[in-house]
Amino acid sequence: MANNIWHPYSRLSVLNQTPPPIIERGSGIYLYDRSGKRYMDAISSWWCALLGHSHPRLISAIVEQTEKLQHSILGNLSNYPAEKLSRLLAEKMPDRDVHVMFASDGASAVEASLKAAMQYYTNRGLQGKDSFFSLKGDYHGDTLGAVSVGFVPGFHEPFKSFTSGKCFTVELPDYNDKGFAPTWEILEKNSERICAAIVEPLCQGASGMRMYPPEYLRDLSEACKELDILLIVDEIAMGFGRTGSYWAFEQAEIVPDIVCVGKALTGGYLPLSAMICRDSIYQTFSDLGERDNTFYHGHTFAGNPIACASAVEAMAVYDEMDVAEVSAGIGSQMKEHLLPLKEKQSVLDARFLGSIAAIELKDPDAVNNIYKDLLSKGYLVRPLGNVIYLMPPLIIEDTELSDLCKDLSLSVINKI
Ligand SMILES: *Cc1c(COP(=O)(O)O)cnc(C)c1O
């Protein structure tokens, strides 16, 4: 069959060698290809399908909404699913006095947050606060604004000249070593130029599940307040229980100025994201004063009612099952199975946070062998460089989880 797809994040050498399996349907934690072969979705389809596939309640919500209203814009109009979802998201924030701007993909929520942070200061009449701060290795999406604050060398090298110079960075903190000092130094020195710090809270996903302690986030939040810098927390990958708390930032007991959500927001079934921003910021975007400070920003499908209906239902299910607790439980089971791998010669590190388990190997070729071995056994994982990780849907059963961990362990031990 002719295939005209340009596959994202897929190498031609691999595509040419093995055409990608055609996935025909999904059910629970499994995906099925057209030959009927079953794959356990051990990475929740790029971290979004927290409730697995074909969840009956999400399907009903989507079908019911589809029969009523498929799309209607949010510019000077509203719709019930978007209103309800904005309320649900606000209720989950430590400061409930927030405003939700919907977008479509994670990257578009990040773009909105960056632009809102920049304009917030021009609204206040401050010039020159047009740069950002982030940690090296942060990933915030693949659009150019997001790449400027989340430059991943392996992915973004060709765009370096376009995106560089707008973001101050420091290395991921090692709290036994220098702690917060390097960050404070950069923020203080450049506070007149930095409008916002943007972070992946507690775990840098795309650059290999690199984790850091909540203390750093707490220090960062305090420094930002002191220096009049906004704090944007990108919960797109870590939100909705993944780290063992509903939001990762809760573990640092902070109140962010802006939160970005996406991925698991709809249960992972439809593209929808949001930037959630505090009222004190929102109020500056007004045309009631001398100047028109309206935020002229938006996406055609922002607040799409079908996607919002799916998200409203997903958030209800998350509450009923207590995603944070379930996630923590999955995590401790994974840790029990996989921590012994840390002792192996060929393993550099084994890291755990919430329901994330990451095994970092010395040899990148071994990672590829493990990937192929697991795929042949019916497990879908997607290594990041020399890191192989698990982020299973939170509906995974104990026996399925222990099979997955046992087979991963065997594969790691045998393939290296
Ligand atoms: C995936 C991701 C994004 C980008 O989301 P898309 O929906 O792929 O555009 C942004 N930030 C983080 C932390 C992510 O993991």
Side-chain angles (χ1 to χ4, degrees):
M1 189 167 41
N3 179 5
N4 296 92
I5 297 175
W6 188 336
H7 292 271
Y9 281 104
S10 306
R11 291 183 181 170
L12 284 191
S13 62
V14 177
L15 289 175
N16 291 344
Q17 225 176 46
T18 31
I22 295 176
I23 302 300
E24 215 166 48
R25 65 190 183 89
S27 175
I29 62 167
Y30 296 103
L31 292 166
Y32 296 83
D33 73 14
R34 61 176 177 171
S35 69
K37 186 169 162 54
R38 188 176 89 158
Y39 304 87
M40 187 194 285
D41 187 357
I43 54 163
S44 304
S45 289
W46 267 341
W47 325 340
C48 21
L50 288 198
L51 302 174
H53 302 273
S54 300
H55 194 288
R57 282 179 55 183
L58 298 195
I59 293 176
S60 302
I62 291 169
V63 170
E64 271 172 39
Q65 182 55 43
T66 306
E67 285 169 350
K68 273 192 269 193
L69 174 69
Q70 304 73 47
H71 186 55
S72 154
I73 59 171
L74 280 192
N76 292 56
L77 288 178
S78 193
N79 67 66
Y80 279 129
E83 289 204 352
K84 176 131 195 229
L85 180 57
S86 67
R87 216 161 36 240
L88 291 178
L89 286 168
E91 281 166 8
K92 290 289 183 195
M93 291 292 138
D95 165 13
R96 295 178 176 196
D97 197 3
V98 290
H99 301 265
V100 177
M101 170 162 275
F102 288 109
S104 14
D105 296 287
S108 53
V110 168
E111 295 291 331
S113 73
L114 301 178
K115 286 175 68 184
M118 285 177 78
Q119 190 178 327
Y120 166 69
Y121 286 100
T122 64
N123 289 351
R124 283 176 40 192
L126 283 168
Q127 302 304 323
K129 272 171 95 83
D130 61 355
S131 301
F132 294 87
F133 168 84
S134 74
L135 286 171
K136 279 206 177 81
D138 255 32
Y139 173 84
H140 297 290
D142 285 329
T143 51
L144 285 170
V147 169
S148 334
V149 295
F151 186 84
V152 182
F155 301 163
H156 300 141
E157 211 59 57
F159 320 109
K160 194 165 188 165
S161 62
F162 194 91
T163 59
S164 63
K166 280 295 173 197
C167 192
F168 297 93
T169 56
V170 299
E171 295 291 341
L172 193 66
D174 173 355
Y175 248 62
N176 303 319
D177 181 16
K178 287 188 228 115
F180 192 69
T183 301
W184 172 260
E185 217 168 278
I186 284 214
L187 289 177
E188 192 193 26
K189 191 161 157 228
N190 301 290
S191 65
E192 285 178 7
R193 295 177 58 195
I194 298 174
C195 64
I198 179 165
V199 282
E200 281 189 84
L202 307 192
C203 177
Q204 297 184 314
S207 59
M209 303 299 157
R210 300 164 71 207
M211 296 158 189
Y212 64 88
E215 286 77 13
Y216 178 81
L217 206 49
R218 195 175 314 150
D219 288 349
L220 181 64
S221 168
E222 275 166 26
C224 284
K225 277 200 189 76
E226 202 170 327
L227 298 168
D228 192 15
I229 291 170
L230 296 180
L231 178 61
I232 304 170
V233 177
D234 177 351
E235 290 270 354
I236 292 166
M238 298 298 143
F240 304 104
R242 186 54 87 181
T243 64
S245 50
Y246 197 88
W247 306 118
F249 72 73
E250 281 169 20
Q251 296 183 36
E253 295 171 13
I254 58 165
V255 184
D257 297 299
I258 299 180
V259 176
C260 297
V261 295
K263 288 198 166 106
L265 174 59
T266 61
Y269 290 6
L270 290 160
L272 181 71
S273 64
M275 142 178 104
I276 304 161
C277 130
R278 296 180 79 181
D279 183 62
S280 52
I281 300 167
Y282 174 79
Q283 292 301 338
T284 68
F285 287 81
S286 160
D287 66 336
L288 295 168
E290 279 167 28
R291 254 204 338 243
D292 179 9
N293 289 335
T294 305
F295 196 30
Y296 291 107
H297 175 96
H299 294 281
T300 308
F301 290 110
N304 172 269
I306 303 173
C308 287
S310 183
V312 166
E313 194 63 20
M315 284 185 72
V317 179
Y318 293 161
D319 275 352
E320 285 165 34
M321 68 189 278
D322 194 345
V323 269
E325 198 176 308
V326 171
S327 176
I330 289 173
S332 50
Q333 214 183 325
M334 290 199 294
K335 191 166 180 178
E336 202 173 298
H337 281 287
L338 299 174
L339 192 59
L341 288 178
K342 206 168 175 166
E343 307 308 318
K344 301 284 168 208
Q345 269 288 316
S346 45
V347 173
L348 274 178
D349 192 19
R351 302 186 276 275
F352 304 89
L353 173 70
S355 51
I356 307 166
I359 313 294
E360 185 167 348
L361 297 156
K362 284 185 185 147
D363 177 7
D365 291 338
V367 174
N368 203 26
N369 292 337
I370 295 165
Y371 163 74
K372 284 191 203 152
D373 182 48
L374 287 175
L375 195 65
S376 75
K377 291 182 178 143
Y379 298 103
L380 185 69
V381 294
R382 250 190 93 91
L384 295 160
N386 59 339
V387 176
I388 194 138
Y389 70 92
L390 304 178
M391 260 167 98
L394 302 183
I395 56 158
I396 193 166
E397 304 275 348
D398 287 356
T399 50
E400 295 165 325
L401 187 60
S402 81
D403 286 348
L404 169 64
C405 291
K406 279 182 200 149
D407 280 327
L408 172 62
S409 297
L410 270 180
S411 191
V412 168
I413 292 162
N414 292 335
K415 295 290 158 187
I416 48 186

